[in-house]
Amino acid sequence: MDEAAIIGLLYKLIIVYFIVIFITNLFRKKKISDQVMYAAILVPFVLRLFSIK
Amino acid sequence: MMKALKSNHRIASFFLLVMAGILIIHSGTTFLEMHKPDTLFPGPGVTGKGKLSDYVPRLKDTPMDTDLYFLKGKEPGGKFLIFGGTHNDEIAAHVSAITLLENAVVKKGELIIIPRVNRSGSTYTLEMEAYPQFLEIKTSKGVRKIRTGARYANWAHQFPDPEVYAHPLTGQKYPGTESRNLNRVYPGRANGFIMEKVAAALIEFINREKINLVLDMHEAYAEHYVVDCLVGHDRAMELVAMTLMALQMEGISIKMFQSPKKVYGFSHRAIGEHTDAMVVLAETTNIAFGKFRGKITQDLLWDGKDPFYDLLYRKGKLFVEYDSKKGISLDERVARHLTTVMELSRSLSEYDESKTIEIDNIPEYSELLDKGIIGLLEPKERNDRFQ
């Protein structure tokens, strides 16, 4: 595995980590504005995870 | 409903998660629309179609592979290779290539057209630029859409970029994103970055097909000095001078440059050094591509009318004449590229009779300006041989 592939894999793992955090917080938060924020910032992270551009 | 959502935060979370899912599917589908190839209508002059991977198999089933169209005349002559889409946001380049392949008929010699030489770059638009995904062409049979794109290969096809891109032959340093810029990485490397692989494949193709002349079509913004010009490799300068005079006689304001020897990654330098072909790069002015433009709309793509540029022109900051009432239309920019193709082939024929290329069915510059290009891009009956 070359250097670029390792960095790419680490990048995706970081994205997965953030997606899990956002979804957890989405269900933990009780204020609707916080929930909307976590749902909105989820979108680009999921698109990045699947390299959709 | 809002009351119910506020009173039960778990239902609200689930609802918002579903909404985010819908947004992801919608935006993902929109992005993926650009990965579908354009619908093209190869004209009566097209005699063959191939892929770059037919010549360089290592590109097969990769985003770097691209279509080649062959327009071979009945009589032998020279071979003229035309690149569109090196930088896909410079739309007049690939629109000119598509117009040629849908209309040109070659009588002598051979024309080979690659409408999307950087195919990966035609699958997305650059972040933060709000460039439309498609150019809309209002034909008599409805709106025809041709993708725009970006100057760099799609990062989804090459990630991550290096911090700094050092040109492998000269060590010249560029920002890392330039490793995805086809016109900085020539002559390329077979096992290098994504665009280096394309550059190396093009060099192999040119050498194997014994191409005589290569034209790389581009656009630039009006505040950049390499605009409305031809740039030629040393061996092509006589041809460039002949073409320049012919273009000026048709009323086209144009200048010429010799390819700088120290800037190695450009097509006009490295293809000239690594093949026997004469290489020319042509630039027109795209206002929608400029850094001072307002919102990029279909109108701006088509008519190039932007009042911000009047201010820059008055302050003497532009390298072209500009008046936003007249604009610099796509019709004019494509007409310039098409006339350059015609005059280059005429000049090559004068320069060396054995390399004559005769192209028919492309209107003269004045006619292109009068009638526009839409008539040449009307959807035609699909030729199944070349789909």
Side-chain angles (χ1 to χ4, degrees):
Chain A
M1 207 180 220
D2 66 3
E3 204 178 298
I6 293 168
I7 294 170
L9 184 67
L10 287 173
Y11 179 75
K12 297 238 163 153
L13 286 174
I14 292 167
I15 291 173
V16 170
Y17 172 74
F18 276 106
I19 288 173
V20 172
I21 298 271
F22 295 151
I23 293 176
T24 312
N25 281 351
L26 174 64
F27 279 90
R28 271 190 191 158
K29 294 287 173 183
K30 290 184 177 163
K31 214 170 141 191
I32 192 90
S33 59
D34 288 343
Q35 290 175 317
V36 170
M37 181 188 75
Y38 281 112
I41 55 177
L42 199 57
V43 176
F45 278 80
V46 174
L47 291 172
R48 283 262 160 168
L49 179 65
F50 293 104
S51 294
I52 297 174
K53 175 62 189 165
Chain B
M1 188 179 169
M2 282 308 286
K3 210 174 175 182
L5 289 176
K6 276 181 181 172
S7 63
N8 190 330
H9 79 276
R10 284 198 185 278
I11 294 175
S13 304
F14 186 74
F15 174 77
L16 287 167
L17 194 62
V18 170
M19 293 305 285
I22 291 170
L23 212 57
I24 289 162
I25 291 167
H26 174 73
S27 46
T29 311
T30 311
F31 283 135
L32 291 175
E33 274 293 300
M34 280 195 77
H35 288 252
K36 293 179 191 162
D38 293 309
T39 304
L40 302 181
F41 303 93
V46 177
T47 52
K49 185 189 171 192
K51 291 242 173 215
L52 195 53
S53 61
D54 297 341
Y55 294 81
V56 187
R58 63 178 180 271
L59 294 191
K60 198 170 171 56
D61 299 325
T62 70
M64 290 88 86
D65 198 7
T66 192
D67 292 333
L68 318 170
Y69 293 87
F70 298 86
L71 290 78
K72 199 169 187 175
K74 285 184 179 156
E75 293 179 55
K79 284 191 177 185
F80 187 1
L81 174 64
I82 293 175
F83 293 167
T86 295
H87 297 148
N88 290 279
D89 41 5
E90 298 166 16
I91 53 172
H94 61 262
V95 172
S96 300
I98 291 168
T99 309
L100 268 175
L101 84 89
E102 294 191 356
N103 294 277
V105 174
V106 177
K107 285 181 169 174
K108 276 186 188 173
E110 188 174 9
L111 201 59
I112 302 167
I113 302 169
I114 310 182
R116 299 284 190 172
V117 74
N118 167 11
R119 185 167 74 92
S120 170
S122 69
T123 59
Y124 80 116
T125 53
L126 284 181
E127 300 82 4
M128 311 301 287
E129 292 283 335
Y131 210 85
Q133 288 183 306
F134 295 92
L135 171 74
E136 292 176 4
I137 305 168
K138 289 174 185 153
T139 70
S140 65
K141 290 170 188 161
V143 176
R144 178 178 177 187
K145 287 182 170 182
I146 291 177
R147 287 173 299 165
T148 59
R151 72 191 273 108
Y152 302 116
N154 195 333
W155 66 256
H157 300 147
Q158 178 187 296
F159 181 86
D161 288 332
E163 195 74 22
V164 172
Y165 173 65
H167 191 280
L169 287 186
T170 61
Q172 185 171 0
K173 287 178 182 166
Y174 295 103
T177 44
E178 297 298 317
S179 67
R180 287 185 282 124
N181 182 347
L182 178 59
N183 205 28
R184 297 295 180 277
V185 303
Y186 284 105
R189 292 181 295 185
N191 57 353
F193 291 111
I194 180 167
M195 284 295 106
E196 288 183 329
K197 288 177 183 167
V198 176
L202 290 168
I203 299 269
E204 272 186 62
F205 174 74
I206 292 166
N207 281 328
R208 202 178 308 172
E209 279 291 306
K210 296 185 171 55
I211 301 289
N212 304 118
L213 175 61
V214 178
L215 174 65
D216 186 9
M217 294 187 289
H218 286 258
E219 292 201 283
Y221 39 91
E223 55 270 37
H224 181 49
Y225 76 100
V226 186
V227 68
D228 281 359
C229 64
L230 298 176
V231 186
H233 180 260
D234 316 353
R235 278 184 287 106
M237 285 316 287
E238 205 174 328
L239 194 74
V240 168
M242 288 161 75
T243 306
L244 185 97
M245 284 189 281
L247 291 171
Q248 286 177 339
M249 282 168 73
E250 295 201 43
I252 297 174
S253 165
I254 192 159
K255 55 201 176 196
M256 64 187 239
F257 296 103
Q258 185 163 356
S259 171
K261 284 198 169 78
K262 289 182 179 170
V263 188
Y264 207 82
F266 288 85
S267 57
H268 45 74
R269 171 53 49 194
I271 295 178
E273 298 292 318
H274 291 264
T275 71
D276 291 330
M278 290 190 273
V279 192
V280 181
L281 180 144
E283 296 273 8
T284 59
T285 309
N286 184 349
I287 293 296
F289 188 54
K291 300 302 168 203
F292 291 86
R293 81 281 187 276
K295 185 180 175 188
I296 310 177
T297 59
Q298 288 294 327
D299 285 344
L300 186 61
L301 291 180
W302 272 99
D303 59 29
K305 291 178 180 175
D306 191 323
F308 289 122
Y309 273 83
D310 283 331
L311 181 68
L312 287 179
Y313 181 60
R314 283 199 298 273
K315 287 184 176 291
K317 302 290 183 194
L318 302 184
F319 288 88
V320 295
E321 285 187 17
Y322 188 74
D323 177 1
S324 70
K325 286 190 185 79
K326 185 172 166 276
I328 301 173
S329 69
L330 184 61
D331 290 322
E332 184 185 334
R333 285 139 52 200
V334 172
R336 286 179 73 105
H337 276 318
L338 294 181
T339 311
T340 301
V341 169
M342 298 301 281
E343 292 302 344
L344 270 173
S345 55
R346 282 175 199 140
S347 300
L348 182 68
S349 311
E350 276 180 46
Y351 187 78
D352 183 343
E353 211 177 321
S354 68
K355 291 171 189 160
T356 294
I357 297 168
E358 258 187 57
I359 305 168
D360 216 356
N361 222 23
I362 296 295
E364 293 294 321
Y365 182 66
S366 54
E367 194 182 335
L368 284 165
L369 288 187
D370 287 346
K371 294 185 179 169
I373 57 166
I374 291 178
L376 299 173
L377 290 166
E378 288 280 341
K380 300 164 188 81
E381 203 169 304
R382 299 254 288 170
N383 187 340
D384 290 336
R385 270 178 67 204
F386 303 122
Q387 297 308 321

PDB file of all heavy atoms in Angstrom, chain B residues 106-124:
ATOM      1  N   VAL B 106     -13.539  15.799 -43.940  1.00  0.00           N
ATOM      2  CA  VAL B 106     -12.150  15.937 -44.367  1.00  0.00           C
ATOM      3  C   VAL B 106     -11.990  15.333 -45.755  1.00  0.00           C
ATOM      4  O   VAL B 106     -12.417  14.205 -46.008  1.00  0.00           O
ATOM      5  CB  VAL B 106     -11.203  15.247 -43.344  1.00  0.00           C
ATOM      6  CG1 VAL B 106      -9.760  15.325 -43.815  1.00  0.00           C
ATOM      7  CG2 VAL B 106     -11.348  15.905 -41.977  1.00  0.00           C
ATOM      8  N   LYS B 107     -11.401  16.125 -46.662  1.00  0.00           N
ATOM      9  CA  LYS B 107     -11.194  15.631 -48.032  1.00  0.00           C
ATOM     10  C   LYS B 107      -9.808  15.036 -48.194  1.00  0.00           C
ATOM     11  O   LYS B 107      -9.626  14.013 -48.847  1.00  0.00           O
ATOM     12  CB  LYS B 107     -11.365  16.792 -49.020  1.00  0.00           C
ATOM     13  CG  LYS B 107     -12.816  17.190 -49.237  1.00  0.00           C
ATOM     14  CD  LYS B 107     -12.861  18.315 -50.246  1.00  0.00           C
ATOM     15  CE  LYS B 107     -14.262  18.571 -50.706  1.00  0.00           C
ATOM     16  NZ  LYS B 107     -14.302  19.764 -51.581  1.00  0.00           N
ATOM     17  N   LYS B 108      -8.818  15.725 -47.612  1.00  0.00           N
ATOM     18  CA  LYS B 108      -7.427  15.251 -47.708  1.00  0.00           C
ATOM     19  C   LYS B 108      -6.835  15.190 -46.318  1.00  0.00           C
ATOM     20  O   LYS B 108      -7.065  16.103 -45.507  1.00  0.00           O
ATOM     21  CB  LYS B 108      -6.588  16.212 -48.546  1.00  0.00           C
ATOM     22  CG  LYS B 108      -6.661  15.993 -50.030  1.00  0.00           C
ATOM     23  CD  LYS B 108      -5.672  16.924 -50.724  1.00  0.00           C
ATOM     24  CE  LYS B 108      -5.874  16.845 -52.235  1.00  0.00           C
ATOM     25  NZ  LYS B 108      -5.063  17.840 -52.930  1.00  0.00           N
ATOM     26  N   GLY B 109      -6.040  14.161 -46.051  1.00  0.00           N
ATOM     27  CA  GLY B 109      -5.400  14.051 -44.738  1.00  0.00           C
ATOM     28  C   GLY B 109      -6.348  13.506 -43.689  1.00  0.00           C
ATOM     29  O   GLY B 109      -7.390  12.910 -44.026  1.00  0.00           O
ATOM     30  N   GLU B 110      -6.004  13.718 -42.437  1.00  0.00           N
ATOM     31  CA  GLU B 110      -6.828  13.166 -41.347  1.00  0.00           C
ATOM     32  C   GLU B 110      -6.872  14.120 -40.158  1.00  0.00           C
ATOM     33  O   GLU B 110      -5.863  14.719 -39.778  1.00  0.00           O
ATOM     34  CB  GLU B 110      -6.228  11.821 -40.898  1.00  0.00           C
ATOM     35  CG  GLU B 110      -7.119  11.099 -39.907  1.00  0.00           C
ATOM     36  CD  GLU B 110      -6.620   9.693 -39.563  1.00  0.00           C
ATOM     37  OE1 GLU B 110      -5.486   9.349 -39.963  1.00  0.00           O
ATOM     38  OE2 GLU B 110      -7.363   8.961 -38.892  1.00  0.00           O
ATOM     39  N   LEU B 111      -8.079  14.229 -39.616  1.00  0.00           N
ATOM     40  CA  LEU B 111      -8.290  15.032 -38.412  1.00  0.00           C
ATOM     41  C   LEU B 111      -8.635  14.050 -37.294  1.00  0.00           C
ATOM     42  O   LEU B 111      -9.482  13.175 -37.478  1.00  0.00           O
ATOM     43  CB  LEU B 111      -9.476  15.959 -38.687  1.00  0.00           C
ATOM     44  CG  LEU B 111      -9.679  17.226 -37.885  1.00  0.00           C
ATOM     45  CD1 LEU B 111      -8.488  18.147 -38.012  1.00  0.00           C
ATOM     46  CD2 LEU B 111     -10.938  17.954 -38.388  1.00  0.00           C
ATOM     47  N   ILE B 112      -7.971  14.175 -36.163  1.00  0.00           N
ATOM     48  CA  ILE B 112      -8.307  13.321 -35.012  1.00  0.00           C
ATOM     49  C   ILE B 112      -8.716  14.273 -33.882  1.00  0.00           C
ATOM     50  O   ILE B 112      -7.965  15.191 -33.534  1.00  0.00           O
ATOM     51  CB  ILE B 112      -7.118  12.441 -34.586  1.00  0.00           C
ATOM     52  CG1 ILE B 112      -6.670  11.580 -35.764  1.00  0.00           C
ATOM     53  CG2 ILE B 112      -7.499  11.553 -33.395  1.00  0.00           C
ATOM     54  CD1 ILE B 112      -5.322  10.905 -35.570  1.00  0.00           C
ATOM     55  N   ILE B 113      -9.912  14.063 -33.357  1.00  0.00           N
ATOM     56  CA  ILE B 113     -10.448  14.992 -32.349  1.00  0.00           C
ATOM     57  C   ILE B 113     -10.643  14.262 -31.017  1.00  0.00           C
ATOM     58  O   ILE B 113     -11.248  13.191 -30.971  1.00  0.00           O
ATOM     59  CB  ILE B 113     -11.798  15.583 -32.820  1.00  0.00           C
ATOM     60  CG1 ILE B 113     -11.612  16.308 -34.157  1.00  0.00           C
ATOM     61  CG2 ILE B 113     -12.377  16.542 -31.775  1.00  0.00           C
ATOM     62  CD1 ILE B 113     -12.908  16.692 -34.842  1.00  0.00           C
ATOM     63  N   ILE B 114     -10.100  14.864 -29.958  1.00  0.00           N
ATOM     64  CA  ILE B 114     -10.349  14.348 -28.600  1.00  0.00           C
ATOM     65  C   ILE B 114     -11.129  15.461 -27.884  1.00  0.00           C
ATOM     66  O   ILE B 114     -10.545  16.440 -27.420  1.00  0.00           O
ATOM     67  CB  ILE B 114      -9.041  14.033 -27.832  1.00  0.00           C
ATOM     68  CG1 ILE B 114      -8.107  13.166 -28.693  1.00  0.00           C
ATOM     69  CG2 ILE B 114      -9.364  13.347 -26.514  1.00  0.00           C
ATOM     70  CD1 ILE B 114      -6.816  12.751 -28.008  1.00  0.00           C
ATOM     71  N   PRO B 115     -12.472  15.340 -27.796  1.00  0.00           N
ATOM     72  CA  PRO B 115     -13.247  16.446 -27.212  1.00  0.00           C
ATOM     73  C   PRO B 115     -12.965  16.674 -25.727  1.00  0.00           C
ATOM     74  O   PRO B 115     -13.067  17.791 -25.249  1.00  0.00           O
ATOM     75  CB  PRO B 115     -14.705  16.023 -27.426  1.00  0.00           C
ATOM     76  CG  PRO B 115     -14.679  14.865 -28.351  1.00  0.00           C
ATOM     77  CD  PRO B 115     -13.328  14.256 -28.285  1.00  0.00           C
ATOM     78  N   ARG B 116     -12.630  15.606 -24.992  1.00  0.00           N
ATOM     79  CA  ARG B 116     -12.390  15.719 -23.543  1.00  0.00           C
ATOM     80  C   ARG B 116     -11.065  15.063 -23.211  1.00  0.00           C
ATOM     81  O   ARG B 116     -11.016  13.931 -22.721  1.00  0.00           O
ATOM     82  CB  ARG B 116     -13.495  15.018 -22.768  1.00  0.00           C
ATOM     83  CG  ARG B 116     -14.866  15.572 -22.994  1.00  0.00           C
ATOM     84  CD  ARG B 116     -15.059  16.866 -22.258  1.00  0.00           C
ATOM     85  NE  ARG B 116     -16.468  17.257 -22.296  1.00  0.00           N
ATOM     86  CZ  ARG B 116     -16.953  18.259 -21.603  1.00  0.00           C
ATOM     87  NH1 ARG B 116     -16.192  18.979 -20.833  1.00  0.00           N
ATOM     88  NH2 ARG B 116     -18.232  18.571 -21.694  1.00  0.00           N
ATOM     89  N   VAL B 117     -10.007  15.780 -23.468  1.00  0.00           N
ATOM     90  CA  VAL B 117      -8.697  15.173 -23.265  1.00  0.00           C
ATOM     91  C   VAL B 117      -8.454  14.931 -21.765  1.00  0.00           C
ATOM     92  O   VAL B 117      -7.817  13.954 -21.379  1.00  0.00           O
ATOM     93  CB  VAL B 117      -7.616  16.036 -23.969  1.00  0.00           C
ATOM     94  CG1 VAL B 117      -7.316  17.296 -23.244  1.00  0.00           C
ATOM     95  CG2 VAL B 117      -6.375  15.252 -24.269  1.00  0.00           C
ATOM     96  N   ASN B 118      -9.026  15.801 -20.911  1.00  0.00           N
ATOM     97  CA  ASN B 118      -9.000  15.579 -19.458  1.00  0.00           C
ATOM     98  C   ASN B 118     -10.423  15.176 -19.050  1.00  0.00           C
ATOM     99  O   ASN B 118     -11.215  15.982 -18.599  1.00  0.00           O
ATOM    100  CB  ASN B 118      -8.552  16.861 -18.751  1.00  0.00           C
ATOM    101  CG  ASN B 118      -8.792  16.857 -17.254  1.00  0.00           C
ATOM    102  OD1 ASN B 118      -9.111  15.825 -16.666  1.00  0.00           O
ATOM    103  ND2 ASN B 118      -8.645  18.009 -16.630  1.00  0.00           N
ATOM    104  N   ARG B 119     -10.746  13.884 -19.270  1.00  0.00           N
ATOM    105  CA  ARG B 119     -12.125  13.434 -19.023  1.00  0.00           C
ATOM    106  C   ARG B 119     -12.483  13.534 -17.540  1.00  0.00           C
ATOM    107  O   ARG B 119     -13.605  13.873 -17.181  1.00  0.00           O
ATOM    108  CB  ARG B 119     -12.327  11.997 -19.516  1.00  0.00           C
ATOM    109  CG  ARG B 119     -13.785  11.540 -19.395  1.00  0.00           C
ATOM    110  CD  ARG B 119     -14.032  10.271 -20.155  1.00  0.00           C
ATOM    111  NE  ARG B 119     -13.474   9.106 -19.513  1.00  0.00           N
ATOM    112  CZ  ARG B 119     -14.121   8.316 -18.664  1.00  0.00           C
ATOM    113  NH1 ARG B 119     -15.365   8.569 -18.339  1.00  0.00           N
ATOM    114  NH2 ARG B 119     -13.526   7.253 -18.148  1.00  0.00           N
ATOM    115  N   SER B 120     -11.520  13.224 -16.682  1.00  0.00           N
ATOM    116  CA  SER B 120     -11.786  13.284 -15.235  1.00  0.00           C
ATOM    117  C   SER B 120     -12.256  14.691 -14.842  1.00  0.00           C
ATOM    118  O   SER B 120     -13.177  14.843 -14.037  1.00  0.00           O
ATOM    119  CB  SER B 120     -10.518  12.906 -14.466  1.00  0.00           C
ATOM    120  OG  SER B 120     -10.673  13.159 -13.108  1.00  0.00           O
ATOM    121  N   GLY B 121     -11.661  15.715 -15.438  1.00  0.00           N
ATOM    122  CA  GLY B 121     -12.022  17.107 -15.125  1.00  0.00           C
ATOM    123  C   GLY B 121     -13.405  17.501 -15.624  1.00  0.00           C
ATOM    124  O   GLY B 121     -13.925  18.547 -15.241  1.00  0.00           O
ATOM    125  N   SER B 122     -14.001  16.659 -16.489  1.00  0.00           N
ATOM    126  CA  SER B 122     -15.343  16.990 -16.993  1.00  0.00           C
ATOM    127  C   SER B 122     -16.435  16.408 -16.096  1.00  0.00           C
ATOM    128  O   SER B 122     -17.610  16.511 -16.413  1.00  0.00           O
ATOM    129  CB  SER B 122     -15.510  16.461 -18.421  1.00  0.00           C
ATOM    130  OG  SER B 122     -15.560  15.052 -18.410  1.00  0.00           O
ATOM    131  N   THR B 123     -16.045  15.793 -14.959  1.00  0.00           N
ATOM    132  CA  THR B 123     -17.047  15.128 -14.117  1.00  0.00           C
ATOM    133  C   THR B 123     -17.445  15.954 -12.891  1.00  0.00           C
ATOM    134  O   THR B 123     -18.188  15.480 -12.041  1.00  0.00           O
ATOM    135  CB  THR B 123     -16.521  13.762 -13.630  1.00  0.00           C
ATOM    136  OG1 THR B 123     -15.304  13.975 -12.893  1.00  0.00           O
ATOM    137  CG2 THR B 123     -16.245  12.814 -14.779  1.00  0.00           C
ATOM    138  N   TYR B 124     -16.927  17.189 -12.770  1.00  0.00           N
ATOM    139  CA  TYR B 124     -17.291  18.026 -11.614  1.00  0.00           C
ATOM    140  C   TYR B 124     -16.955  19.481 -11.935  1.00  0.00           C
ATOM    141  O   TYR B 124     -16.298  19.763 -12.947  1.00  0.00           O
ATOM    142  CB  TYR B 124     -16.538  17.561 -10.348  1.00  0.00           C
ATOM    143  CG  TYR B 124     -15.105  18.052 -10.270  1.00  0.00           C
ATOM    144  CD1 TYR B 124     -14.709  18.920  -9.256  1.00  0.00           C
ATOM    145  CD2 TYR B 124     -14.154  17.685 -11.215  1.00  0.00           C
ATOM    146  CE1 TYR B 124     -13.404  19.381  -9.181  1.00  0.00           C
ATOM    147  CE2 TYR B 124     -12.864  18.148 -11.141  1.00  0.00           C
ATOM    148  CZ  TYR B 124     -12.488  18.992 -10.136  1.00  0.00           C
ATOM    149  OH  TYR B 124     -11.207  19.465 -10.078  1.00  0.00           O
TER     150      TYR B 124
END
